[in-house]
Amino acid sequence: MDRKLSPEIIKKRRQKLIINLCIASVATVALFLFLVNILRAGISSNDIYTSTVDKGTIEISIAATGKVVPLSEEVIISPVSTKILEIYKKAGDPVEADEAIIRLDLDVIRADIEKQDDELSMKRYKLEQQKQAAQNALSELEMQIEIDEMRIKRMEVLLRNEMFLDSIGAGTSDKIRQAELEYSVEQLKLKQLKLQYENRKQSSLADTKVLELDYNIALKNANLKNKMMSEAQIRSPRSATLTWVNDQIGSSVAQGAQLAVVSDLAHYKVEAEISDGYGNKVLSGNRVTVKISSKELTGMVGNIVPSVKNGIINFTVLLDDNENELLRSGLKVDVYVINAIREDVLRIANRSYYTGEGEYDLWVVKDGEAVKRKVVLGESSYNYVEVKEGLNEGETVITSDMNRYADKNKLKFNR
């Protein structure tokens, strides 16, 4: 049979229960506070980049993309339609100036040159024959003119004699008229002969010029053929590296087809491109910084392509150190064209957060917290951004991409 508990035992049990409930309540509150602290939004200093606002100089620049290419590169084309007979060099081989690269089939062009040489000789002989014939004809006319002039002088003497005889009564007027007539006829014949001489001279000169022109055209064509013959001996135009060659032996190549490419792989330049919206800021002579990984090379804007294609402007960067060991043909690089310099301005580091001038939500680190703040940023260089409003010198700003915290206004900053 159960016995009734004494009041003292019941009191002790009630006190123990109350103590246990208090302990549980305190533990629950402590756990709640601990979980709130753990779950509170925070960010580790190991996961972000920060920058301290300072004053200094900013070289205002615009970003472009570029590719490293050989400073000089020459394409060798086929001067004639022919076929490849032999390859002396392969891509990647160094070549000296005038060193043979490809042997082409030149039998057809040789036959054309021989035929053209024969035609040229015939035209030269024909020209010489024409000159000789013209000289002979003119010489004959000159001789005939001299004879007629002598005949006229004789007629003149006879006329004077008849006039003298008539003056002394030994001649007649009929003989005088006859002598005058013969004298006039001879003068007309001489005049006609001289006119014939001039006409023949002009005609011969014109015929000779036609033949000379024909000969000169044939000579130029022959020289062109000979030049093509010499160019058909595919040789390197300079000491360089053979970067590409058509090595298909026996294949036919058309006139003007590309046969090889030789490049100077000891010196380089950068072919860059940028949006046409920045066209007025890219000028020949502008200084340029080229970033290759973490290294920087300097240079200047050289040639700018005047046309715009698909909204892109292309330009060339001439490097100050175009032999740098970092340079490799085809290497992609970042190009920064400097178009202005601003001194003594507030600035922070340029990283992925920056997309251009305007207002930004940046996180300012202070007292173990990162607080979002409205900041107005200006133009930039490749490593700094101008601060116009919202930040003071000495403040620390997070420069990493913080878009994932767009819905927060304050973050715990875990160092």
Side-chain angles (χ1 to χ4, degrees):
M1 180 174 180
D2 295 334
R3 289 187 306 171
K4 187 176 179 182
L5 295 175
S6 66
E8 292 181 359
I9 294 176
I10 293 174
K11 184 178 179 181
K12 288 180 179 181
R13 287 184 175 180
R14 185 179 293 114
Q15 290 175 345
K16 185 177 182 180
L17 178 62
I18 291 172
I19 292 171
N20 289 337
L21 289 174
C22 290
I23 293 173
S25 298
V26 172
T28 300
V29 171
L31 179 62
F32 175 77
L33 294 175
F34 176 76
L35 290 177
V36 168
N37 187 59
I38 291 295
L39 295 178
R40 180 184 175 185
I43 188 169
S44 172
S45 60
N46 296 326
D47 299 331
I48 61 172
Y49 292 103
T50 61
S51 174
T52 301
V53 182
D54 67 352
K55 278 190 175 183
T57 300
I58 296 181
E59 295 179 333
I60 305 300
S61 62
I62 51 177
T65 58
K67 180 175 70 173
V68 177
V69 298
L71 182 63
S72 63
E73 190 171 66
E74 187 165 345
V75 177
I76 303 174
I77 63 174
S78 176
V80 294
S81 295
T82 182
K83 65 179 180 180
I84 298 174
L85 294 183
E86 194 172 356
I87 305 296
Y88 300 117
K89 295 288 183 178
K90 61 183 179 180
D93 287 347
V95 290
E96 298 297 327
D98 205 39
E99 186 174 5
I101 299 175
I102 300 175
R103 184 165 73 90
L104 300 177
D105 183 2
L106 303 179
D107 290 341
V108 174
I109 191 172
R110 283 196 188 96
D112 287 344
I113 289 176
E114 291 175 359
K115 179 181 178 182
Q116 197 166 46
D117 287 343
D118 292 339
E119 293 177 352
L120 184 62
S121 297
M122 291 179 62
K123 292 181 184 296
R124 185 175 64 252
Y125 295 146
K126 189 175 180 180
L127 175 60
E128 292 174 354
Q129 186 180 28
Q130 164 63 22
K131 288 181 177 180
Q132 188 62 47
Q135 184 62 41
N136 292 338
L138 291 176
S139 297
E140 290 179 1
L141 287 173
E142 287 174 353
M143 184 62 68
Q144 188 64 44
I145 288 172
E146 289 181 6
I147 294 172
D148 284 1
E149 286 177 342
M150 293 175 64
R151 183 180 290 115
I152 287 177
K153 289 180 180 180
R154 178 176 175 276
M155 292 291 183
E156 187 179 3
V157 171
L158 291 175
L159 176 60
R160 283 200 301 267
N161 289 339
E162 288 296 334
M163 293 176 70
F164 176 74
L165 292 173
D166 183 61
S167 66
I168 62 176
T172 63
S173 58
D174 290 338
K175 287 183 178 182
I176 293 175
R177 284 193 297 270
Q178 179 67 31
E180 288 177 344
L181 180 60
E182 291 178 357
Y183 178 72
S184 298
V185 170
E186 290 301 325
Q187 281 186 319
L188 290 174
K189 285 183 178 181
L190 179 60
K191 185 177 180 181
Q192 183 182 27
L193 191 59
K194 287 183 177 180
L195 181 60
Q196 183 180 353
Y197 174 82
E198 291 297 327
N199 291 339
R200 176 63 65 85
K201 185 178 180 180
Q202 295 298 325
S203 177
S204 298
L205 184 61
D207 291 341
T208 301
K209 285 186 176 179
V210 170
L211 292 177
E212 284 179 343
L213 181 60
D214 191 27
Y215 172 76
N216 288 333
I217 291 174
L219 181 60
K220 288 180 180 179
N221 290 335
N223 291 336
L224 182 60
K225 281 284 186 181
N226 289 325
K227 182 181 178 182
M228 290 172 61
M229 182 71 174
S230 64
E231 290 177 347
Q233 310 289 337
I234 304 303
R235 300 178 180 275
S236 175
R238 61 168 62 88
S239 296
T241 301
L242 184 64
T243 52
W244 181 85
V245 62
N246 183 345
D247 56 3
Q248 301 299 311
I249 296 177
S251 63
S252 297
V253 290
Q255 182 177 6
Q258 184 172 312
L259 291 177
V261 179
V262 291
S263 306
D264 179 5
L265 297 184
H267 304 85
Y268 295 90
K269 62 184 178 181
V270 175
E271 290 184 349
E273 58 181 30
I274 196 169
S275 170
D276 60 352
Y278 298 101
N280 61 335
K281 295 185 178 181
V282 179
L283 303 173
S284 294
N286 280 9
R287 296 301 299 171
V288 175
T289 298
V290 176
K291 293 193 69 175
I292 303 177
S293 299
S294 59
K295 304 294 184 180
E296 298 177 4
L297 297 178
T298 58
M300 62 181 292
V301 176
N303 179 55
I304 302 174
V305 178
S307 60
V308 178
K309 185 176 181 180
N310 298 325
I312 297 297
I313 293 176
N314 294 281
F315 61 96
T316 300
V317 176
L318 303 177
L319 299 170
D320 296 331
D321 180 11
N322 58 23
E323 301 178 59
N324 193 285
E325 60 183 8
L326 296 173
L327 298 170
R328 294 289 184 275
S329 183
L331 180 67
K332 300 290 186 180
V333 295
D334 295 322
V335 178
Y336 298 90
V337 181
I338 300 170
N339 56 63
I341 296 179
R342 294 185 182 174
E343 299 180 348
D344 197 30
V345 295
L346 290 178
R347 63 186 187 178
I348 57 176
N350 188 351
R351 294 191 182 276
S352 60
Y353 70 91
Y354 182 74
T355 57
E357 291 186 78
E359 189 176 74
Y360 288 79
D361 288 325
L362 295 185
W363 295 84
V364 180
V365 178
K366 184 178 181 181
D367 298 331
E369 292 183 328
V371 180
K372 187 187 294 185
R373 186 187 299 178
K374 293 289 184 181
V375 175
V376 179
L377 301 180
E379 295 184 293
S380 69
S381 66
Y382 67 93
N383 50 5
Y384 289 108
V385 178
E386 178 189 9
V387 178
K388 290 186 172 181
E389 297 178 11
L391 294 175
N392 299 312
E393 186 176 0
E395 290 186 307
T396 300
V397 182
I398 297 176
T399 55
S400 299
D401 184 1
M402 299 289 285
N403 287 334
R404 63 184 181 276
Y405 301 109
D407 60 335
K408 307 292 185 183
N409 290 315
K410 184 181 294 186
L411 296 172
K412 182 180 180 182
F413 189 73
N414 303 315
R415 295 187 178 275

